[in-house]
Structure formats: structure tokens, C-alpha cells
Amino acid sequence: MSTTASDPLAALGTLPGVADAVDSVRKAVDRVYGHRVMRRRSNEVTAEAALRGARGSAALSGADWNLEEVRRRTDFSGDDEAQVVGAALRLTAEAGQLLSIWRQSPLRVLARLHLVAAGGAAPDDAVGRPRLAGESVAEPLVEAPLPDADEVAGRLEGLSGLILAGSSAPALVMAAVVHGELLALRPFGSHNGLVARTAERVVLIGSGLDPKSICPAEVGHAEQGRAAYIAAFEGYLSGTPEGMAAWIAHCGRSVELGVRESTAVCEALQRGAA
């Protein structure tokens, strides 16, 4: 698409402050990809980024475990927090496997992500599909008004159409919009925050900004804290230029903090400490 009139996401890229956020993220990502450890040990960095990203996403969903506990644990079938952490780990493992499907059918990927997150914990007929009229949603972090089922269906189709049409917007903008829209809709009966943050990851990987998945935005979202996350998300919900720009900038800062985390991993690997 060549014009912002036919490419609404590109228009978001022109908002005040967004171009600076995009540039800052691009430079940060380039720096970590240029680290000498990435030449031979990128798979180790990717695996560690997935673990830390899952921990961060779970923390935002109420299971704020320390990293070593996440690393040590093998059974996540216990209490609610353990199940949240297990869901986050499964999602980060799944994200990179869905790129080709995402480009053809984003809604299929979202259904798959919910299926993976639920892991058999929800009634079978409610897993992997958008909620129906009258069905409840378990998402304690987000208290915004819940769109009804018809609105969810329409907006999901609209989001899918934007993704399939392609955009000249920077990857950060697309990722932030996908994340924000899914959080706003809460299309599934459970695990919407985890799914939304994983979809953001899928966009960042698939766009080519972070092809090796070593810049876990979930780490940055968690590091900035739940209050900052919700405040920025309220900007997205407002739909105002200022609110949208603030949300995109928040997502950009989250990616940068994820870069900082993976840079520390690279440094530790270089020293032989990890």
C-alpha cells in the first residue's frame, strides 16, 4: 500500500513520537544482532529469550515467578499460577512455528494459540474459538468494558484483513496494534493477555525485525510493570492520536528492554557464565 488513506497502519507511523520509537527499536535490535555471540550461539540466545519472555508474560497475567523457578519446574499442572506459567511457556515455544500460517490466516493462528494456552484446562467447545454471546471472560488484569460477541467477530475480521492486505507501517506499529486490539477484544474465554503478547511476538518475528526471536517484548512489558502496561493500554483504547502513540511507544520501550535482557545473555555466554 502506498498511501495512508488506504493503509491506516501507515498513518499511525506518522504520529508524533512514533518515528523516534521505531528508530530507537531498530537501532537496539541491530546492536544485539551484531553481538559476536550471535554468530555461533544464536540458538542459545533464542532459547533463553523464549524462557525469559514467557516468564514476563506470565508475570503480567498474575504469575510473577522468578526466572530460576520457571527454569527449574517441570510440572505446571498444579495451581492457577503454575498453569499460567505453563501456558506462557507453551505459547513462546509455539510462536515461531506459525509464521507461514499467520501470513495466510491470522485467525487460524489465534485459534491455535488459544488451544495451546488452554492446554485442556477449558471446556472443549470453548477452546480455540472466539467467545459466543453470553460467555464470560477470565482476564483479571484488564477491566475495560468487554465488547460483545458480534463486535468481537467483526473486529477480528477487520484485523485479519489488515494483516493479510499488508502494510508499509513499521513492524513495531503492526505488532503494537495486533497486541492492543486483541487485549481490547479479549476474544477468548481465557488467556487473552498471553495470546495477545504472543501475537505481538509472532508479528515481530515474521516481519523480519526479530527473525531469531531474541528480543522478548514480554520482558519489557513486565519490567515496566502492570500499572504502566494498563495505563499505556488505556491510551490504545482511547483511539486518540496521543493515546495510540503512547501505546506504540510503550511497546517499543518493551522491545528495547527485551533487547537489553538478551544483550546481557550474550555477555554472559561470552564470559562462559551461562
Side-chain angles (χ1 to χ4, degrees):
M1 295 185 179
S2 58
T3 67
T4 57
S6 59
D7 187 356
L9 293 178
L12 294 177
T14 68
L15 293 175
V18 171
D20 288 342
V22 168
D23 185 58
S24 184
V25 166
R26 178 76 268 175
K27 289 177 179 176
V29 172
D30 285 347
R31 282 195 299 272
V32 72
Y33 270 84
H35 197 287
R36 62 188 301 175
V37 165
M38 288 297 296
R39 297 173 193 168
R40 296 185 178 180
R41 305 182 72 178
S42 63
N43 288 344
E44 294 172 71
V45 181
T46 295
E48 190 64 20
L51 184 73
R52 296 180 185 217
R55 193 218 72 82
S57 192
L60 285 172
S61 287
D64 192 1
W65 291 13
N66 67 60
L67 183 62
E68 292 312 311
E69 175 64 12
V70 177
R71 195 190 306 279
R72 179 191 67 80
R73 185 75 72 95
T74 57
D75 181 7
F76 297 95
S77 62
D79 59 22
D80 289 348
E81 286 195 5
Q83 291 179 26
V84 168
V85 175
L89 288 166
R90 291 192 299 273
L91 285 169
T92 56
E94 189 78 6
Q97 311 302 315
L98 298 171
L99 298 179
S100 61
I101 304 173
W102 177 260
R103 298 184 185 103
Q104 299 171 9
S105 179
L107 299 185
R108 279 182 59 200
V109 169
L110 295 177
R112 172 63 184 170
L113 291 177
H114 185 245
L115 182 67
V116 169
D124 289 348
D125 65 350
V127 173
R129 63 157 175 78
R131 55 188 166 81
L132 304 177
E135 291 183 337
S136 61
V137 172
E139 193 62 49
L141 178 62
V142 180
E143 298 179 354
L146 194 66
D148 64 30
D150 288 341
E151 182 179 352
V152 168
R155 286 172 64 177
L156 281 177
E157 287 294 340
L159 181 63
S160 176
L162 281 175
I163 295 165
L164 292 174
S167 174
S168 62
L172 173 64
V173 173
M174 175 68 84
V177 168
V178 168
H179 182 170
E181 188 69 356
L182 292 174
L183 207 59
L185 295 177
R186 283 148 287 163
F188 302 110
S190 62
H191 303 298
N192 289 288
L194 294 175
V195 168
R197 290 184 289 275
T198 305
E200 178 184 48
R201 173 184 282 262
V202 170
V203 173
L204 293 172
I205 299 169
S207 67
L209 178 65
D210 181 22
K212 294 184 183 294
S213 192
I214 62 166
C215 307
E218 305 96 322
V219 167
H221 287 304
E223 186 170 334
Q224 292 183 85
R226 297 176 81 183
Y229 183 70
I230 290 301
F233 172 60
E234 287 172 353
Y236 179 87
L237 286 176
S238 75
T240 65
E242 297 80 9
M244 294 295 290
W247 171 248
I248 294 167
H250 181 88
C251 291
R253 179 59 179 158
S254 296
V255 174
E256 290 186 67
L257 290 169
V259 167
R260 187 177 71 179
E261 189 87 353
S262 286
T263 300
V265 170
C266 288
E267 296 293 333
L269 288 169
Q270 186 168 285
R271 295 191 305 268

